[in-house]
Amino acid sequence: MNIPQMCPRFEKAMELLSKRWTVLIVFQLTNGPQRFVAIENSIPNLSGKVLSDRLKELEEEGIIQRMVYPEKPVRIEYSLTDKGRDLAPLFDHIGTWATRWIEVLPALEKQ
């Protein structure tokens, strides 16, 4: 029996995006540039340490960019690169799929 091989690029993409919180961080940044605390506050149960780690990983992969503004106090914002913005259609498709197939408790929908 011939078993098809997994595409190495697809496998790498899934490894990156399947890390806990990664997709939610990228999705949050589709709203535009944001500061660390805004991202942290927008995703319940995400610790600052994990957010910091994920932001570094995403920056290394070229999905986000970190901009440092030499103001007093220093302002740092994170935004999506072209590579990161190319993920937006996936979120639209997942949202459509979730609306059709995922049930949530009424109390969770109000949050």
Side-chain angles (χ1 to χ4, degrees):
M1 184 163 124
N2 188 9
I3 301 173
Q5 294 293 313
M6 180 73 64
C7 170
R9 290 178 186 206
F10 182 83
E11 186 175 358
K12 183 176 179 181
M14 293 308 294
E15 283 179 21
L16 173 67
L17 296 174
S18 67
K19 286 187 178 180
R20 187 158 191 196
W21 308 113
T22 298
V23 170
L24 295 177
I25 293 166
V26 174
F27 178 74
Q28 183 61 29
L29 288 172
T30 61
N31 296 315
Q34 295 181 38
R35 297 175 80 165
F36 185 96
V37 71
I39 301 167
E40 186 177 31
N41 290 337
S42 70
I43 304 173
N45 302 316
L46 173 59
S47 73
K49 166 77 169 100
V50 173
L51 176 57
S52 178
D53 292 345
R54 293 299 179 269
L55 289 171
K56 286 176 188 171
E57 292 167 1
L58 290 166
E59 186 177 11
E60 288 171 5
E61 287 292 333
I63 293 173
I64 66 167
Q65 63 182 355
R66 179 179 183 264
M67 296 293 296
V68 179
Y69 297 93
E71 303 169 350
K72 289 193 180 188
V74 172
R75 179 172 51 105
I76 300 172
E77 289 184 341
Y78 298 90
S79 61
L80 295 176
T81 61
D82 289 341
K83 183 177 180 179
R85 281 188 294 278
D86 272 356
L87 291 167
L90 296 175
F91 300 135
D92 293 337
H93 290 297
I94 292 169
T96 300
W97 178 85
T99 300
R100 182 173 181 192
W101 295 104
I102 302 297
E103 292 185 36
V104 292
L105 300 172
L108 294 177
E109 283 187 334
K110 294 177 185 175
Q111 292 182 348

